Amino acid sequence: MSTQHELVAYEVPLSDEDEEPVTAPLVLGWTRTLASGPLPETDATVMSMPLVPVDTTALEPADSTRTDQALRLLRTLAWPFVESPPSPALCGFLFTGQDSMRLYLAVEKADGLIAADVQLTGALTALLAALPSLIDEEQRWVTDTSDPHCAYSVDLTTW
């Protein structure tokens, strides 16, 4: 009998019916679903933990949360998979809504930080790829006197 505080091992297949690898977001969705439900009963164990084989064909992955989306965006900007430091450099962020945040970025030719307002959903990968060139375009800069943390802001929420 499993208790709420007991460690449980879930055996999750990492390939689909066609032997194609499943994506990390799908595995995270399954994990969210498994962690939010009741602990399943099982007779199998591994390392003294209940071992639960997971049938992913019958498991609905939970949607990613606002925190997941924000962390994905921040990790990509702060620690990209490149050898050189990220440019523009992420200096801070602020949640501005349920699906939006303000990124504070250091751009060489600006006298202060640039605040970029972005959505956490939608074409996030495309936005992250285009962000360095979008932020560098001075014609997009709007003087922002309402935010003491930046010199200019750029609205990329509809980009």
Side-chain angles (χ1 to χ4, degrees):
M1 180 83 149
S2 298
T3 64
Q4 193 65 18
H5 297 53
E6 187 175 335
L7 294 177
V8 177
Y10 291 100
E11 186 176 26
V12 179
L14 298 180
S15 58
D16 62 17
E17 303 84 34
D18 299 324
E19 296 303 317
E20 292 293 320
V22 296
T23 64
L26 186 56
V27 173
L28 288 172
W30 290 330
T31 304
R32 273 188 223 92
T33 299
L34 293 166
S36 65
L39 294 175
E41 294 296 322
T42 181
D43 293 330
T45 61
V46 62
M47 297 171 55
S48 302
M49 293 181 287
L51 175 63
V52 179
V54 177
D55 178 7
T56 56
T57 61
L59 184 64
E60 190 65 34
D63 291 332
S64 62
T65 65
R66 172 182 173 218
T67 302
D68 295 330
Q69 295 160 337
L71 288 174
R72 186 176 309 121
L73 177 105
L74 294 171
R75 184 193 51 78
T76 302
L77 290 173
W79 192 10
F81 292 103
V82 294
E83 291 182 14
S84 58
S87 181
L90 177 66
C91 298
F93 67 93
L94 174 69
F95 286 107
T96 55
Q98 189 63 19
D99 185 37
S100 59
M101 72 185 329
R102 177 166 267 206
L103 305 172
Y104 294 97
L105 304 159
V107 176
E108 269 187 41
K109 59 184 177 179
D111 295 331
L113 297 178
I114 305 287
D117 295 314
V118 299
Q119 296 284 79
L120 295 174
T121 55
L124 198 53
T125 304
L127 173 66
L128 289 170
L131 187 65
S133 60
L134 292 171
I135 292 298
D136 212 32
E137 296 174 358
E138 291 183 47
Q139 66 270 21
R140 291 184 181 272
W141 299 359
V142 176
T143 303
D144 193 336
T145 56
S146 66
D147 187 341
H149 305 294
C150 66
Y152 305 99
S153 65
V154 175
D155 184 2
L156 300 176
T157 56
T158 58
W159 186 84

